Amino acid sequence: MPKIGVYICHCGENIAGAINIEEVRAYAAGLPDVKVVRDYLFMCSDPGQELIKQDLKEDLVDRVVVAACTPRTHEPVFRKTLEDGGLNKYLVEMANIRDQDSWVHWNDKDGATRKAEKLIGSAVAKAFLLEPLRERFVEVTRASLVIGAGVTGMFAALDLAEMGYKVYLVDRNPSVGGNMAKLDRTFPTNDCSACILTPVMVQVGNHPNIELLTFSEIESVDGSIGNFKVKVRRKQTYVDWNRCTGCGDCVKACPHEVADEFNQGMYNRKAVYIEFPQAVPRKAVVDAAHCLNCAGRDFGTQPRLHSKTGEPVAAPCEKTCKTGACDRSVAYNPRGEVVELNVGTIITAAGFKAMDKHPFKEYSPESPNVITSLELERLLAATGPTQGELKRLSDGKTPDTVAFISCVGSRDKHHHTYCSKVCCMYMLKEARLVKRKCPDTNVFIFFIDVRTGGKDFEEYYNYCRDLGVRVIRGRVGAVDELSGDRLRVRAYDVDIAGPVELESDLVVLATAMEPPTGLKELARKLGVTCGAEGFLKEAHTKLYPVETSVRGIYIAGCVQGPKDIPESVSQARAASSAAAIPLTLGRVAVDPLTSEIDQEKCSGCGICVPLCPYSAIKIISLGEILRARIDEALCAGCGVCAAACPSRAVKLHGFTAEQIEAQIEALTIAAGDASGA
């Protein structure tokens, strides 16, 4: 019969402050097959672990229950303890009496104590049925995929490439650079954004270990740590990039213009375009949705002959192209092509999206003089639609007064309740840039409150005040359009406890940072989860900030939540270090908590096949009968198949039906009745 030891942690006062340890200890001692019960201040400490090891060496116990905090962070610790004590490390079960008990029932000590007894009783019931499991190892493909080629993705890719690993860097846009490429300057040093970003873009484009897959989207992700199989769809460019030199002749020749996404729609680009002047790779793309098919040249057709000269009539773009890259006689597949990659680890750095202004009807978003902060960045940038001159879009005049409004869409129960974290600082930066370009322009900033947590940030804020930037503390209620392209800002000033009105020539909305378009779909393909705010969720906020719930998949930058450039780069380097560990080891241990099919019980119904999120189950033919089979290498042990199987033919090792039922039975007996009678 198993000899079970129960080890109760005080966790300082985290557990002992809300649970009567002596009563719980007495209860555990009365449970069937429990031979040893001990408690300690911090069971995860060396002395605490030594208690367990000593009992194992003296053969007092051969199953261990640890009543402490979350197994998510501490189960590996106690598995190692068992391993060091000479016992199979999967013969430990944890009862989470901190997160699930003492913390949530802090003011009900008696109730928390009774609940702790039930949780421990449940863990003991399962421990009785635990079986030794054998760890397995998988070889790791020494390559990594980085999704998103903004500043975060580029630094993650460069770090891995410098370590000698092959890196595939995927981005949905034609060029690397992301949102940072659109900025004029960066706080708190006011560096020229292009000056510090462009060398990194060039380095990424030229690194022999980095393969750029721009203008591409993730199609599917299968497999697990060490052996991810990723399909990437390269969108159709309608230009042969092997021949394109990025000279831009085709762009100049194209007669049709559409709104330029890079300049936030404030300027036009051609239907054949290069994303921006410093693009890497600098290649042209045909926007097929807006291409006029000049000269009657649809893609994949031969040119018609001129009625008089008999010469082929080419479209302007192909006529001017000296290398033949713009050849409309090629029958391009509109869906592009699918590239299959094998990688050991994945880093997701898909960035963010700046919230649109149009949901905020109270701020007159239809006025061309009400713009977002990102639009102002493009107006201030030398590569922007006004070549860096601050001009109003309505009349091209320099504004005499500019008003900034903070927290537009952030900290707002109608849109996003979270703080976008960087808005205060980038508004101060933009206010400072406006004062530098136009010293006579009056600048007002309407804040709910100013948040300048960061190195040198408070000094930056004070300097802006010294420049004459006026700060008004209060929420703006409305922006009205007046005659003469003027605007009126109506707000409540908290400091004077009264309403204020301000006439302004230009209003800038600091809109929220949102999850990028399609992030939920990408998360589904990766098998990772999104938080309530829509950004990707890390495994643990403090201890595992770049890991996800899927081993081998890491996150970095704003795809996890709003953050500034230094923080994004720091996280990129943390993610690349974490992703490099399996690549360096060459093989990784995989938990044996996988599913197994009992062929005698399986009816071959196939219900489990489409439910498996890892495509690990297939139906095979055994003579005239059909049966399900699980690929152990692909199974992640999620248990969906075991829960769905109507024949109970699926056994999930570590969480068998018998173990779960024993836990439920233990939980449903009356507290204090250790015998279960």
Side-chain angles (χ1 to χ4, degrees), residues 71-107:
R72 186 174 50 171
T73 55
H74 283 62
E75 192 171 58
V77 173
F78 293 110
R79 282 182 176 174
K80 182 70 168 53
T81 305
L82 265 64
E83 201 169 31
D84 293 343
L87 190 66
N88 184 282
K89 67 180 183 181
Y90 295 101
L91 295 178
V92 62
E93 181 64 22
M94 292 195 68
N96 188 349
I97 60 172
R98 188 190 69 176
D99 305 34
Q100 297 175 356
D101 191 2
S102 63
W103 278 359
V104 290
H105 304 293
W106 190 259
N107 297 317

Side-chain angles (χ1 to χ4, degrees), residues 554-576:
Y554 309 88
I555 53 176
C558 292
V559 76
Q560 186 202 21
K563 49 181 69 70
D564 60 21
I565 294 169
E567 195 178 355
S568 296
V569 172
S570 299
Q571 207 173 31
R573 311 200 89 155
S576 61

Side-chain angles (χ1 to χ4, degrees), residues 390 398-399 433-442:
L390 180 59
T398 299
L433 295 178
V434 168
K435 291 296 285 184
R436 191 178 75 164
K437 287 178 181 285
C438 311
D440 295 332
T441 296
N442 298 308

Side-chain angles (χ1 to χ4, degrees), residues 56 81 121 161 169 259 294 301 361 373 391 396 468 473 499-500 504 510 532 577 594 620 640 669:
L56 292 173
T81 305
L169 181 56
C294 304
T301 62
K361 301 301 181 188
S373 290
K391 295 178 179 178
R473 191 159 63 97
V500 293
S504 178
S577 298
T594 55
I620 61 169
V640 171
I669 65 172

